[in-house]
Amino acid sequence: MKNVIFVVFALVACLAACSSNDAPQIPANKLPVDHTKENLIEYNKQYMEYEDDEINKYIDSLHLQMDKASSGIRYKLNLCSKVKPTPGSKVNITYSVSLLDGTSCPDLTNKTTTVEFGKGKLPVGFEIILGILGKGGSGDFIIPCMLAYGVSGRENCIPPYSPVRCSITLNNIEF
């Protein structure tokens, strides 16, 4: 009797296992390869090259004399200081931001604010610039889109994927 119960249980288990998966099993070495990550990396690389070319054309068309940082930020420093902000210090800055075509946003024009440096309160490009300027420093900059407002842009003001031109003055640093 125990053998009959065991055989019935085994048969029910096999039927349940077979019926729960209608799709045939595919060996791991036959699974399709997902190239999404590689495709995104290649797209971003090509876009950055395109944007770099567009920024170069813009600079050449206006005969601007700007240097290029390894980050891709173009800059012309007016003043620079050896007193640099450190993560967590409060920086008081005045800045104006516009698109390369000259369009500006009222809430990004001649704005003065105090923020904590290195805490992600500003676009990455601004953080990089403030680290270069130092207390009392100022300059003119062109920031590639991914270091500015990126793929999301900013509130009906800066469209997605837009490099920006800005002037920044680091007024004060509180350590």
Side-chain angles (χ1 to χ4, degrees), residues 21-33:
N21 188 1
D22 295 336
Q25 291 185 355
I26 301 172
N29 63 348
K30 301 288 183 181
L31 291 174
V33 177

Side-chain angles (χ1 to χ4, degrees), residues 141-162:
F141 306 90
I142 297 174
I143 307 173
C145 73
M146 291 310 203
L147 297 176
Y149 296 98
V151 298
S152 59
R154 185 170 193 282
E155 304 170 2
N156 302 321
C157 187
I158 307 290
Y161 295 103
S162 296

Side-chain angles (χ1 to χ4, degrees), residues 3-171:
N3 288 342
V4 172
I5 293 174
F6 178 74
V7 170
V8 170
F9 179 73
L11 185 60
V12 169
C14 285
L15 290 174
C18 291
S19 66
S20 66
N21 188 1
D22 295 336
Q25 291 185 355
I26 301 172
N29 63 348
K30 301 288 183 181
L31 291 174
V33 177
D34 184 3
H35 295 285
T36 304
K37 183 177 179 180
E38 292 86 5
N39 290 342
L40 286 172
I41 290 170
E42 184 60 28
Y43 170 79
N44 285 333
K45 180 181 172 187
Q46 289 176 3
Y47 184 79
M48 289 172 60
E49 290 171 1
Y50 166 78
E51 183 182 50
D52 193 57
D53 288 342
E54 291 300 307
I55 291 172
N56 286 335
K57 288 177 191 174
Y58 173 78
I59 289 171
D60 291 344
S61 73
L62 296 177
H63 306 290
L64 300 175
Q65 299 297 317
M66 299 184 106
D67 294 316
K68 182 179 178 182
S70 61
S71 62
I73 295 174
R74 306 321 198 278
Y75 63 95
K76 180 176 182 179
L77 300 177
N78 301 326
L79 291 171
C80 195
S81 168
K82 291 183 180 182
V83 180
K84 309 290 185 188
T86 57
S89 60
K90 292 187 188 286
V91 293
N92 179 273
I93 61 172
T94 301
Y95 63 95
S96 291
V97 178
S98 66
L99 297 174
L100 297 186
D101 68 4
T103 305
S104 63
C105 296
D107 63 331
L108 294 177
T109 301
N110 205 22
K111 180 173 174 105
T112 299
T113 188
T114 300
V115 296
E116 205 170 344
F117 179 75
K119 298 294 182 174
K121 302 291 183 188
L122 295 169
V124 174
F126 280 51
E127 298 270 353
I128 293 169
I129 290 166
L130 294 175
I132 293 169
L133 286 178
K135 184 177 180 178
S138 67
D140 296 311
F141 306 90
I142 297 174
I143 307 173
C145 73
M146 291 310 203
L147 297 176
Y149 296 98
V151 298
S152 59
R154 185 170 193 282
E155 304 170 2
N156 302 321
C157 187
I158 307 290
Y161 295 103
S162 296
V164 296
R165 185 172 181 182
C166 63
S167 61
I168 300 177
T169 302
L170 200 168
N171 303 316

